[in-house]
């Protein structure tokens, strides 16, 4: 009777069989710091749906800001209760009054329920093999045992300094996790810039699964900046003139660069525009707005969903060295000065050093950041870029790699793998350090 009141009987319960042959793809990003992981996954989802429109793609993102981005037809998003950091840099629930243990439990169960219901053909996991604090492990076990889903781990080209990654992967069990669960590991980069297999000394089992995609070039996607209407200076509250753009990623640690940029001397007939990012503190955004108001050729914008549209119009760029920002700079061939983040990870510093060595960008160490240093760079004549290009074909190559992964024979699970417990599951200080 109860089931009849609900509207169906056992005889009419939903079938476990697929109603259609549409391909199902899930993408996970933990998003505990900024939106770089989610934006990377959204670019991949867009490329996959363009290559195979007869697909359903579910993104699982760790921040509600994911809902601010436009999604193409066939792509939807489940946002998890968000994690953030307290004043001491320790992880906690960003909005809910829950303990860290409780919110991880909530996220873990939500992810597992979503994946069991969606039953993807492929799950693409961004950066963290087990998710933040091991929240993916129950889902990985179920998906592997169920045998329907191929598992792909996607890594940006630079994770951190080699000694840090060695501790994270070799001492925390990530090598074992990648070997036990994942069918393929995609590196979103060009090994001529940085080769993780060599730099990080991955195990033979992990190295055998590596595939290099090239950097992710969003201008290859439909409706990219090539087709977008330009933004007029008047629309930015600026007079006519050249444009120098300052990008600070999510903004949580970008105030110093943005403030210094607004204090620099701009060349004649040049406008300066800062995009603060969604995670810059409101009082810092207000301070920047007051500083910009003192000069008619300076302006500040909060979070925008399509910074590449403004980047395409910029004559020069001053930016931090996050993965997505650098991909956009390289894709649009912009004259750029990178002022990288150097802690808690050295990822941005390493990326900026390697690209500067190739002549693709210029770098200023944050210890040398000053209004005078930025003024001098802005006034200098741009140097010609080298003729050897970086591989920017990631978004056109990933659909081919996905097909390769789907066709490849699945790895069989050994009984000890299905029940294994890995050392990264405890809520340790080491895990907190590596969660960003």
């Amino acid at each position: 009777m109860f089931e009849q009141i609900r509207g169906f009987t056992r005889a009419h319960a939903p079938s476990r069989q697929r109603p259609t042959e549409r391909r199902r793809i899930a993408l996970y990003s933990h998003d505990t710091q900024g939106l770089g992981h989610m934006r990377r996954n959204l670019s991949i989802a867009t490329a996959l749906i363009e290559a195979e429109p007869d697909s359903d793609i579910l993104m699982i993102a760790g921040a509600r800001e994911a809902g601010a981005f436009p999604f193409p037809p066939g792509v939807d998003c489940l946002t998890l209760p968000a994690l953030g950091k307290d004043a001491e840099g320790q992880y906690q629930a960003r909005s809910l009054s829950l303990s860290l243990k409780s919110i991880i439990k909530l996220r873990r169960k939500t992810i597992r329920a979503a994946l069991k219901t969606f039953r993807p053909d492929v799950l693409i996991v961004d950066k963290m093999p087990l998710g933040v604090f091991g929240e993916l492990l129950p889902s990985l076990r179920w998906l592997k045992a169920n045998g329907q889903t191929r598992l792909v781990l996607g890594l940006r080209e630079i994770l951190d300094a080699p000694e840090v990654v060695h501790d994270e992967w070799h001492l925390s069990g990530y090598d074992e996790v990648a070997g036990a669960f994942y069918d393929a590991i995609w590196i979103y980069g060009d090994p001529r810039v940085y080769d993780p297999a060599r730099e990080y000394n991955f195990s033979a089992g992990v190295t055998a699964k590596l595939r290099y995609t090239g950097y992710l070039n969003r201008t290859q996607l439909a409706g990219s900046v090539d087709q977008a209407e330009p933004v007029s200076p008047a629309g930015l509250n600026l007079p006519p003139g050249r444009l120098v753009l300052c990008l600070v990623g999510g903004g949580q640690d970008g105030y110093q660069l943005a403030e210094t940029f607004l204090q620099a001397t701009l060349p004649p007939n040049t406008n300066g525009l800062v995009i603060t990012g969604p995670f810059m503190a409101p009082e810092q955004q207000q301070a920047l707005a007051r500083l910009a108001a003192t000069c008619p050729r300076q302006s500040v914008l909060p979070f925008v969903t399509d910074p590449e549209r403004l980047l395409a119009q910029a004559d020069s760029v001053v930016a931090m060295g996050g993965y997505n920002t650098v991909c956009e700079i390289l894709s649009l061939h912009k004259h750029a000065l990178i002022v990288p983040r150097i802690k808690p990870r050295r990822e941005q510093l390493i990326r900026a050093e390697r690209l500067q060595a190739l002549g693709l960008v210029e770098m200023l160490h944050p210890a040398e950041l000053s209004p005078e240093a930025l003024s001098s760079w802005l006034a200098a004549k741009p140097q010609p870029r080298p003729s050897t290009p970086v591989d920017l074909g990631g978004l056109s190559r990933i659909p081919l790699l996905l097909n390769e992964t789907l066709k490849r024979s699945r790895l069989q699970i050994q009984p000890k793998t299905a029940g294994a417990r890995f050392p990264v599951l405890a809520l340790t200080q080491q895990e907190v350090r590596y969660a960003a």
Side-chain angles (χ1 to χ4, degrees):
M1 174 66 71
F2 178 73
E3 289 171 337
Q4 290 176 332
I5 292 173
R6 277 174 165 258
F8 62 91
T9 64
R10 288 187 184 276
H12 295 92
S15 169
R16 290 181 179 271
Q17 299 299 316
R18 286 282 182 87
T20 71
E21 295 301 318
R22 291 175 65 87
R23 179 183 290 179
R24 291 185 182 179
I25 302 166
L27 299 100
Y28 161 88
S29 56
H30 64 286
D31 304 307
T32 56
Q33 187 83 344
L35 293 174
H37 305 282
M38 188 282 302
R39 287 192 64 217
R40 184 160 55 240
N41 271 358
L42 179 55
S43 297
I44 294 168
T46 304
L48 291 174
I49 205 73
E50 288 182 3
E52 186 65 49
D54 194 26
S55 301
D56 289 315
I57 300 181
L58 176 65
M59 292 180 51
I60 300 174
R64 60 178 178 266
E65 285 79 8
F69 291 86
F71 289 85
V75 180
D76 212 333
C77 186
L78 169 68
T79 58
L80 303 170
L83 291 169
K85 287 184 177 181
D86 60 20
E88 285 72 42
Q90 302 300 309
Y91 279 94
Q92 62 180 9
R94 199 206 308 177
S95 301
L96 301 178
S97 299
L98 295 177
S99 67
L100 179 60
K101 183 176 181 179
S102 294
I103 195 168
I104 293 297
K105 181 179 180 181
L106 175 58
R107 287 166 57 107
R108 182 172 65 241
K109 290 190 171 185
T110 301
I111 294 167
R112 189 169 187 266
L115 291 174
K116 286 187 70 173
T117 302
F118 188 60
R119 290 179 292 134
D121 297 295
V122 180
L123 170 64
I124 302 171
V125 173
D126 189 84
K127 183 179 178 274
M128 302 192 74
L130 286 175
V132 62
F133 299 117
E135 65 183 7
L136 273 184
L137 181 60
S139 297
L140 296 178
R141 284 176 172 160
W142 185 87
L143 291 170
K144 202 69 175 178
N146 191 49
Q148 177 179 295
T149 303
R150 304 293 176 90
L151 300 174
V152 175
L153 178 64
L155 302 176
R156 65 187 182 225
E157 89 291 30
I158 302 168
L159 300 173
D160 204 336
E163 66 274 13
V164 176
V165 177
H166 179 274
D167 288 346
E168 182 174 355
W169 276 72
H170 299 278
L171 302 182
S172 297
Y174 282 1
D175 266 322
E176 186 180 2
V177 170
F181 289 111
Y182 287 95
D183 299 292
I185 302 172
W186 296 345
I187 304 294
Y188 305 133
D190 183 340
R192 293 173 297 180
V193 178
Y194 198 87
D195 187 355
R198 183 181 68 252
E199 302 281 355
Y200 297 145
N201 193 26
F202 286 139
S203 68
V206 169
T207 301
K209 297 180 180 183
L210 296 182
R211 298 291 185 273
Y212 294 88
T213 69
Y215 286 94
L216 307 184
N217 178 3
R218 283 187 52 85
T219 65
Q220 297 175 342
L221 301 176
S224 69
V225 293
D226 292 337
Q227 293 83 38
E229 287 290 327
V231 181
S232 68
L236 301 172
N237 295 318
L238 292 169
R242 296 166 58 85
L243 177 64
V244 180
L245 195 60
C246 179
L247 301 172
V248 294
Q252 62 273 8
D253 54 359
Y255 178 76
Q256 183 180 7
L257 176 57
E259 180 188 41
T260 307
F261 177 82
L262 292 174
Q263 293 171 340
T265 301
L266 295 170
N269 196 36
T270 299
N271 297 312
L273 175 64
V274 174
I275 301 178
T276 65
F279 299 114
M280 183 176 287
E283 59 272 19
Q284 292 180 336
Q285 294 189 43
Q286 293 164 9
L288 294 177
R290 289 193 297 269
L291 186 58
T294 64
C295 176
R297 285 199 173 272
Q298 291 178 336
S299 187
V300 175
L301 283 181
F303 170 58
V304 295
T305 59
D306 55 349
E308 63 271 13
R309 185 181 175 196
L310 289 168
L311 187 59
Q313 296 178 231
D315 297 281
S316 298
V317 184
V318 175
M320 297 180 70
Y323 178 88
N324 293 314
T325 298
V326 166
C327 282
E328 290 157 0
I329 287 171
L330 296 177
S331 300
L332 294 166
H333 307 285
K334 292 298 174 179
H335 175 227
L337 177 68
I338 304 298
V339 186
R341 177 192 300 126
I342 59 174
K343 60 181 183 180
R345 291 188 178 272
R346 301 207 319 258
E347 163 223 344
Q348 292 193 9
L349 176 63
I350 296 169
R351 180 178 297 117
E353 289 174 338
R354 293 299 179 93
L355 292 174
Q356 178 176 244
L358 293 171
L360 296 169
V361 302
E362 296 174 66
M363 189 194 86
L364 178 68
H365 194 283
E368 301 171 353
L369 177 64
S370 68
E372 293 75 22
L374 292 188
S375 300
S376 177
W377 182 82
L378 290 169
K381 183 179 179 180
Q383 297 298 311
R385 294 182 61 166
S387 58
T388 304
V390 170
D391 186 346
L392 297 169
L395 292 180
S396 59
R397 195 170 289 118
I398 282 174
L400 304 177
L401 290 174
L402 181 69
N403 290 333
E404 174 190 307
T405 301
L406 285 170
K407 292 175 182 176
R408 193 183 307 130
S409 298
R410 286 191 178 88
L411 300 175
Q412 296 298 315
I413 302 178
Q414 301 299 323
K416 64 179 182 180
T417 298
R421 286 186 178 275
F422 298 99
V424 291
L425 298 182
L427 299 182
T428 63
Q429 288 296 109
Q430 187 180 46
E431 282 193 53
V432 171
R433 177 185 174 193
Y434 294 132

